[in-house]
Amino acid sequence: MRQSSSIASAALAVIVLGGGAAAADQVSFSAQIQPIFDQNCVVCHAKGAESGGLNLTKRKVYKSLVGTKSTEAPLNRVEPGDPAKSYLIHKLDGSYKAVGGTGDPMPKMDIPHPLAASDIALITQWIAEGAPNN
């Protein structure tokens, strides 16, 4: 496993136990999540290079992710309000095989490290908040 799934679990625990952000501090998909995808994922998940049929460009990303069945696992890519049932989190933290997934952990780039734990925690928080298109 590239990173411990405890990263996502810890972020979720903070949110569930009341240590999460207030409504005014809700994670912004457009200002905080999309830039993570732009920097780390779009190179392989854009029109003409849609690995797994997943397009993460600004105009297609939300529809491609939220409430959409994964092509690699029996989960939705993002299940609003439930990071543990969101295949995206499992692909990012390396636990994808444990949920019946296939393929490789993400991002699959020529970088010496996986996605930052803080980025995974932010994506986890966004999903736990209901994955709003904000």
Side-chain angles (χ1 to χ4, degrees):
M1 195 168 6
R2 289 171 32 155
Q3 286 196 26
S4 170
S5 62
S6 63
I7 295 168
S9 298
L12 180 59
V14 168
I15 294 162
V16 171
L17 296 174
D25 295 332
Q26 184 176 38
V27 175
S28 168
F29 180 77
S30 61
Q32 294 172 278
I33 304 301
Q34 184 64 49
I36 295 170
F37 295 148
D38 289 346
Q39 183 177 4
N40 300 285
C41 311
V42 169
V43 67
C44 294
H45 293 282
K47 186 173 177 141
E50 296 173 345
S51 295
L54 177 58
N55 187 324
L56 295 177
T57 59
K58 290 178 185 166
R59 296 181 62 194
K60 304 281 185 177
V61 63
Y62 197 81
K63 185 177 179 181
S64 288
L65 277 178
V66 180
T68 301
K69 179 87 171 77
S70 169
T71 60
E72 295 184 346
L75 298 173
N76 282 340
R77 289 174 172 156
V78 169
E79 184 61 39
D82 198 342
K85 291 185 180 174
S86 297
Y87 191 55
L88 175 64
I89 296 302
H90 296 285
K91 287 294 274 192
L92 296 176
D93 73 12
S95 63
Y96 61 98
K97 290 184 180 179
V99 295
T102 61
D104 297 307
M106 293 294 136
K108 185 179 176 182
M109 294 174 51
D110 292 330
I111 56 175
H113 53 81
L115 199 61
S118 59
D119 289 340
I120 296 172
L122 192 63
I123 294 168
T124 301
Q125 181 179 342
W126 168 73
I127 293 170
E129 291 174 354
N133 189 7
N134 56 356

